[in-house]
Amino acid sequence: MPVLEGLWGPDLRMRDTGLDVGVCPEEPPHSPVWGPLRTPPVTCGGLSLALELPALIRQLRAAWRARKGGSQGPERNQASPWMESGKEQEEEIKLDTENRSAHVEADGRLNTGHAGVLLAERRGSYPLIDLRILKTSAQQGEVETVTRRKVKRLLSFQRYCHASRLLRGLVPHTPRSLHLLDDDYLGQAAHMLSKVGTWNFDIFLFDRLTNGNSLVTLMCHLFNVYDLIHHFQLDMVKLNRFLGMVQEDYHSQNPYHNAVHAADVTQAMYCYLKEPKLAEHLSPLDVFLGLMAAAAHDVDHPGVNQPFLIKTRHHLASLYQNTSVLESHHWRSTVGMLRESGLLSHLPADMSRDIEQRLGSLILATDINRQNEFLMTFREHLDNQDLDLQLASHRHFILQIALKCADICNPCRVWELSRQWSERVCEEFYRQGDLEKKFDLEISPLCNQQSDSVPAIQIGFISYIVEPLFEEWHRFTEPSLLSQTMLDHLHKNKANWSSLRCAHTPSDVQSHSQAEEPEGEVGEGSDIP
């Protein structure tokens, strides 16, 4: 266990009662556990001083060897390259092990060392659960190379920045100022952004128009809408670096838990932040937290659920003691990217720590296993009519509820979009079931393609998870046009799934299944749209 924690850093668990905005890690706000933010990247002689110590040492040693090798004769250079390579690898492995273990005490507690820097998680810091080994993986030619995809996204982001400056009048609009591709971008993606606050926003089309850059483009646009860049004095380069990290750390091979899902949740969150009952009370910090949590709430999702990690004894399950495993990892990864990008490095340390903790409280609220906890608290407040949005703690609680609604709002979309999301999440479930079957594990609930149909899964999810939450949200908005529209779509989509279920189920089997239908169809740890 100490070795695993040495690789992963401390377990910063958050206790969250749902309402209290002071929900925070066990350590007090000024505890050295949080540590100072990392300084912006500094370079010297072409070497990055923002690297971790082992990586920096390896770069220095490589540069020294290159210089030394250049001054020596050919006999020395050609003597024993395999022996030298082997020695270098042994030395690097030994140095890595010593450095990592130095951050962890024998009992697993954090050893902050002289710098007190929190060891943050990133996508590459644990073995990837690669579901591409299954036959259901993407067809040949569908997946672009990483380099080509990054270039396309960078070009798309540059076009967005150019377009933003143009729309603000900072760039003269001359015939030579924009290329044909930029005109096409302005005519389609920018037109969609002008309607980003509408509920029928097609995130799939928007993702295609932005060359797979939907999350970065959407977040930059919303930050401009709310003037958050100016309010928090954010560096645009650092913001792009952070958002690029978030987008890249979503696994594109996941049918459902990918960057497009994050963009969809962010767009829904924006619609909820505009609700008249809530909008007039929100501070810039509330909006910033809501959008950031929506964008990063599922970052680095492995495409399998919590029960799978537990029964395969994955080290993340051990690290977080089988409680909110994925959500804790999403939060810790977000903190790591915030610090690595230096996005908040210019803010006071206590403010950046508070932002990190509040982001954790919001992201941890998306745990589906805590659904009843939040629903009962929300219902009690509405029954007692004691919600006061002048209080920061009550606004934070409503942000938690809004993020939970945004995360599971797919059944409330128009049928064409809702059905796509439903099929995607079920495909992800079925992949997990195939993986469990391949390794002789018990197939998780909702993951057996032979017995769990898409209509049956969606009907159960809508009935026991979505409807109760959105009915209370409808009460909270008193009610708004948007909440009424969502409920209308929800009821129509449920009827459509019922029709599809009947059409694909023989009458005798259907009557038998209805007679023995359990009280809830959603398994523990499942995460359905």
Side-chain angles (χ1 to χ4, degrees):
M1 184 63 185
V3 175
L4 289 178
E5 293 188 0
L7 294 175
W8 292 100
D11 177 9
L12 299 184
R13 295 181 294 275
M14 297 187 69
R15 297 190 304 272
D16 191 344
T17 57
L19 177 62
D20 188 4
V21 85
V23 174
C24 61
E26 295 178 352
E27 291 77 17
H30 300 288
S31 168
V33 170
W34 285 97
L37 292 175
R38 292 181 179 177
T39 56
V42 180
T43 59
C44 179
L47 299 178
S48 173
L49 301 186
L51 295 172
E52 296 288 352
L53 182 59
L56 181 59
I57 291 176
R58 284 195 294 271
Q59 280 201 12
L60 290 172
R61 288 168 60 192
W64 178 79
R65 288 195 190 95
R67 175 174 296 183
K68 185 177 179 181
S71 61
Q72 293 174 338
E75 293 182 0
R76 172 61 180 167
N77 291 336
Q78 299 175 4
S80 55
W82 294 106
M83 291 179 60
E84 290 186 3
S85 176
K87 290 180 181 179
E88 291 173 10
Q89 290 180 3
E90 290 179 3
E91 292 175 0
E92 290 177 359
I93 292 174
K94 181 178 179 181
L95 184 61
D96 251 351
T97 304
E98 292 176 354
N99 181 72
R100 288 175 174 176
S101 60
H103 288 282
V104 181
E105 299 288 353
D107 61 355
R109 294 181 181 178
L110 171 66
N111 180 7
T112 55
H114 68 280
V117 177
L118 167 65
L119 297 181
E121 295 177 8
R122 282 300 307 279
R123 173 174 179 171
S125 58
Y126 75 95
L128 174 65
I129 302 174
D130 194 352
L131 299 185
R132 287 176 290 183
I133 62 176
L134 301 179
K135 293 181 180 179
T136 52
S137 59
Q139 297 295 326
Q140 188 175 14
E142 285 185 8
V143 182
E144 300 173 297
T145 63
V146 176
T147 302
R148 183 180 178 187
R149 186 168 63 247
K150 286 184 177 180
V151 169
K152 290 176 66 178
R153 290 176 179 176
L154 178 61
L155 291 174
S156 180
F157 176 78
Q158 290 173 342
R159 291 199 304 274
Y160 170 77
C161 289
H162 199 150
S164 298
R165 294 194 298 271
L166 175 64
L167 294 176
R168 293 196 302 267
L170 301 181
V171 179
H173 191 181
T174 62
R176 295 183 179 181
S177 65
L178 294 175
H179 298 288
L180 180 62
L181 189 59
D182 296 313
D183 287 328
D184 181 67
Y185 169 80
L186 284 174
Q188 298 183 52
H191 176 71
M192 288 194 67
L193 283 175
S194 68
K195 299 183 178 181
V196 71
T198 59
W199 189 243
N200 60 348
F201 189 84
D202 189 343
I203 197 65
F204 298 110
L205 175 59
F206 184 70
D207 190 64
R208 291 193 295 272
L209 292 176
T210 56
N211 294 323
N213 204 36
S214 56
L215 183 58
V216 172
T217 308
L218 178 62
M219 282 291 287
C220 288
H221 174 76
L222 296 181
F223 270 46
N224 281 329
V225 168
Y226 283 107
D227 200 25
L228 297 177
I229 297 174
H230 178 265
H231 181 85
F232 291 101
Q233 295 297 299
L234 300 177
D235 186 320
M236 194 62 184
V237 174
K238 293 181 180 180
L239 177 62
N240 179 42
R241 183 188 307 157
F242 168 76
L243 294 176
M245 288 179 180
V246 173
Q247 184 168 262
E248 289 297 326
D249 275 14
Y250 277 96
H251 297 206
S252 58
Q253 69 266 25
N254 291 343
Y256 179 79
H257 288 103
N258 50 43
V260 184
H261 166 66
D264 184 64
V265 172
T266 303
Q267 190 271 336
M269 189 67 170
Y270 172 60
C271 291
Y272 300 155
L273 295 178
K274 290 174 54 186
E275 286 282 27
K277 179 73 177 292
L278 184 60
E280 59 186 10
H281 300 287
L282 292 176
S283 67
L285 180 58
D286 294 327
V287 174
F288 177 82
L289 290 170
L291 295 177
M292 291 280 282
H297 79 285
D298 271 335
V299 69
D300 201 22
H301 196 292
V304 293
N305 58 20
Q306 176 173 296
F308 181 91
L309 298 178
I310 293 174
K311 65 185 171 185
T312 56
R313 299 181 182 180
H314 195 276
H315 65 270
L316 284 179
S318 301
L319 179 64
Y320 296 112
Q321 300 181 357
N322 300 341
T323 303
S324 298
V325 175
L326 288 171
E327 291 74 24
S328 298
H329 177 60
H330 302 326
W331 167 51
R332 286 281 303 280
S333 298
T334 304
V335 171
M337 288 181 284
L338 279 172
R339 296 184 175 192
E340 185 176 340
S341 65
L343 180 62
L344 307 179
S345 59
H346 64 290
L347 299 178
D350 56 344
M351 183 177 183
S352 61
R353 286 194 297 267
D354 181 63
I355 289 175
E356 292 172 355
Q357 294 178 36
R358 293 182 186 225
L359 281 175
S361 177
L362 291 172
I363 293 174
L364 289 175
T366 62
D367 186 353
I368 199 70
N369 293 315
R370 301 181 62 192
Q371 184 76 7
N372 288 335
E373 170 193 338
F374 279 95
L375 181 60
M376 290 177 62
T377 304
F378 192 28
R379 187 173 290 156
E380 288 176 3
H381 283 301
L382 294 178
D383 291 340
N384 298 331
Q385 298 183 354
D386 58 359
L387 275 174
D388 183 4
L389 296 182
Q390 298 291 338
L391 300 177
S393 60
H394 286 211
R395 291 199 307 274
H396 185 79
F397 175 71
I398 294 301
L399 285 179
Q400 290 177 314
I401 297 296
L403 182 57
K404 290 180 68 65
C405 289
D407 192 26
I408 63 172
C409 73
N410 300 135
C412 301
R413 299 281 191 180
V414 295
W415 172 249
E416 292 75 15
L417 298 177
S418 179
R419 182 169 185 173
Q420 288 188 64
W421 285 120
S422 299
E423 292 172 347
R424 283 169 174 260
V425 75
C426 289
E427 171 62 21
E428 194 166 295
F429 287 163
Y430 296 152
R431 289 189 183 188
Q432 176 179 323
D434 291 342
L435 195 62
E436 291 167 333
K437 185 177 180 180
K438 179 176 181 178
F439 292 103
D440 295 325
L441 300 172
E442 181 183 357
I443 299 180
S444 300
L446 311 179
C447 296
N448 192 334
Q449 190 169 6
Q450 306 304 320
S451 58
D452 301 314
S453 67
V454 177
I457 292 174
Q458 290 305 306
I459 291 172
F461 178 62
I462 292 173
S463 300
Y464 301 106
I465 301 296
V466 183
E467 275 184 335
L469 180 61
F470 277 88
E471 285 173 356
E472 300 305 323
W473 181 261
H474 187 66
R475 289 176 58 194
F476 167 73
T477 58
E478 294 185 342
S480 68
L481 177 61
L482 174 59
S483 65
Q484 185 61 55
T485 299
M486 290 191 297
L487 281 183
D488 291 342
H489 288 324
L490 182 64
H491 297 150
K492 291 178 182 178
N493 293 337
K494 184 178 180 181
N496 288 339
W497 287 121
S498 297
S499 300
L500 289 174
R501 185 182 189 183
C502 294
H504 292 85
T505 305
S507 57
D508 55 342
V509 177
Q510 178 185 346
S511 60
H512 180 71
S513 62
Q514 289 177 349
E516 297 185 359
E517 188 175 63
E519 189 152 331
E521 294 191 36
V522 179
E524 181 181 357
S526 299
D527 188 8
I528 314 176

